[in-house]
């Protein structure tokens, strides 16, 4: 099963640049064009939060229109820049947990009969806050979903906030601050049922593990957070090359993840 992951698109309102510099709409269009050229074609696309910058209906409409020509099934979870109620309007029927409640968690459960993995999209946001949280309700829902997975058909969890310290202090300060220990204990207890955990939020390629379960952070399709591991490091962003992640899952190897440059880098090949 070949799964494409993109994250932290931060689609802005028409005519706006992120921080006055980054054209995230143009970045999205380049990303979609690269996805369309991939061979072999991914089976599906996961987007791990911060779909938009200000969570307006118009921003989500632009994203949906950009994704439509791909013809790929896709699933989304919110990031701290997103809004649950607006996402429910944009993606009707996608949220699985208490979909009738406007501010209920936007969690996703997808398990097609011919898929070798169960997909579990976990809402880790706190409305109008940058940090993440996993309340008892969401953890109980996750546990119930994991109980439906097994070693023969494990679950792939995708969420926005990473469940570990990255070493980038400003991002760790707005990381998963509530329910972290409970989440890690649950993952460790159910490790045999979990293929991996995919995250975003930090705008960098970072790998870790919980109880032997791989945790993979994808870079942004637009702009990256500056890598600075000093304790007093300021938050900054840079225009390092954007990437798409391709996760190839096979029973004999588990997840094999490759990172695909969206633009030619460092330039067209063969070099001239």
């Amino acid at each position: 099963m070949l799964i494409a992951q993109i994250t932290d698109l931060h689609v802005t309102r028409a005519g706006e640049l992120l921080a006055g510099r980054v054209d995230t709409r143009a970045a999205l269009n380049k990303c979609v064009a690269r996805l369309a050229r991939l061979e072999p074609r991914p089976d599906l696309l996961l987007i791990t939060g911060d779909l938009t910058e200000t969570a307006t209906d118009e921003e989500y409409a632009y994203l949906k229109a950009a994704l439509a020509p791909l013809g790929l099934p896709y699933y989304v979870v919110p990031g701290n820049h997103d809004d649950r109620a607006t996402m429910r309007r944009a993606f009707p029927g996608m949220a699985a947990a208490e979909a009738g409640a406007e501010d209920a968690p936007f969690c996703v459960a997808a398990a097609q009969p011919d898929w070798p993995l169960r997909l579990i999209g976990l809402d880790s946001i706190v409305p109008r806050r940058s940090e993440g949280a996993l309340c008892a309700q969401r953890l109980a829902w996750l546990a119930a979903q994991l109980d439906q997975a097994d070693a023969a058909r494990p679950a792939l969890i995708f969420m926005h906030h990473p469940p570990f310290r990255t070493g980038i202090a400003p991002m760790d300060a707005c990381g998963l601050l509530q329910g972290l220990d409970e989440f890690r204990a649950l993952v460790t207890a159910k490790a045999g049922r979990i293929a991996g955990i995919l995250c975003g939020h930090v705008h960098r390629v970072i790998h870790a593990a919980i109880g032997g379960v791989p945790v993979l952070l994808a870079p942004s399709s637009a702009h990256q957070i500056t890598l600075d591991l000093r304790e007093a490091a300021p938050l900054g962003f840079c225009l390092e090359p954007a990437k798409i992640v391709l996760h190839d899952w096979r029973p004999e190897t588990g997840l094999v993840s490759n990172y695909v440059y969206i633009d030619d880098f460092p330039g067209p090949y063969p070099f001239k």
Side-chain angles (χ1 to χ4, degrees):
M1 188 175 190
L2 187 61
I3 298 170
Q5 179 192 2
I6 59 177
T7 195
D8 295 274
L9 318 180
H10 289 272
V11 173
T12 59
R13 289 175 285 195
E16 292 186 355
L17 298 178
L18 184 70
R21 293 185 60 193
V22 184
D23 188 341
T24 57
R25 290 193 173 208
L28 170 64
N29 293 334
K30 285 184 178 181
C31 178
V32 170
R34 188 70 181 91
L35 282 165
R37 296 196 304 272
L38 290 175
E39 293 184 10
R41 179 179 170 84
D43 295 300
L44 58 93
L45 172 66
L46 300 180
I47 308 179
T48 46
D50 281 359
L51 283 65
T52 66
E53 178 64 11
T54 60
T56 64
D57 290 300
E58 189 261 347
E59 288 168 336
Y60 289 111
Y62 186 89
L63 171 60
K64 289 186 68 177
L67 294 174
L70 284 174
L72 285 176
Y74 64 85
Y75 297 91
V76 304
V77 287
N80 49 286
H81 281 260
D82 294 306
D83 176 76
R84 291 168 176 158
T86 316
M87 283 184 67
R88 281 197 164 85
R89 290 195 296 270
F91 307 100
M94 189 172 290
E98 296 188 21
E102 184 175 86
D103 201 34
F106 191 101
C107 293
V108 175
Q112 297 297 330
D114 57 339
W115 288 354
L117 294 173
R118 295 182 60 86
L119 301 180
I120 301 176
L122 187 60
D123 179 340
S124 64
I125 70 169
V126 179
R128 295 165 291 281
R129 303 281 296 183
S130 294
E131 69 269 18
L134 292 174
C135 58
Q137 174 192 1
R138 279 174 275 185
L139 290 167
W141 179 86
L142 174 61
Q145 293 298 319
L146 291 175
D147 283 342
Q148 299 178 51
D150 55 36
R153 196 186 190 197
L156 182 64
I157 300 171
F158 61 106
M159 58 195 289
H160 186 63
H161 294 85
F164 62 90
R165 176 185 174 276
T166 67
I168 302 174
M171 298 308 296
D172 290 336
C174 62
L176 187 61
L177 303 185
Q178 178 185 335
L180 176 59
D181 291 341
E182 293 84 352
F183 176 79
R184 292 170 66 91
L186 176 59
V187 168
T188 300
K190 307 280 188 181
R193 301 171 182 259
I194 305 172
I197 302 169
L198 309 181
C199 307
H201 189 53
V202 186
H203 295 229
R204 296 209 66 83
V205 177
I206 305 176
H207 295 174
I210 297 174
V213 176
V215 186
L216 307 173
L217 273 62
S220 168
S221 66
H223 59 290
Q224 312 311 319
I225 295 296
T226 303
L227 178 60
D228 189 337
L229 300 179
R230 295 174 297 169
E231 290 186 6
L235 180 63
F237 74 87
C238 54
L239 299 180
E240 293 177 8
K243 301 179 185 71
I244 296 162
V245 193
L246 290 177
H247 303 285
D248 186 7
W249 188 86
R250 300 169 189 265
E252 64 273 19
T253 57
L255 281 180
V256 175
S257 301
N258 289 280
Y259 296 83
V260 180
Y261 286 110
I262 291 173
D263 287 317
D264 288 330
F265 182 81
Y269 184 85
F271 303 123
K272 297 181 180 178

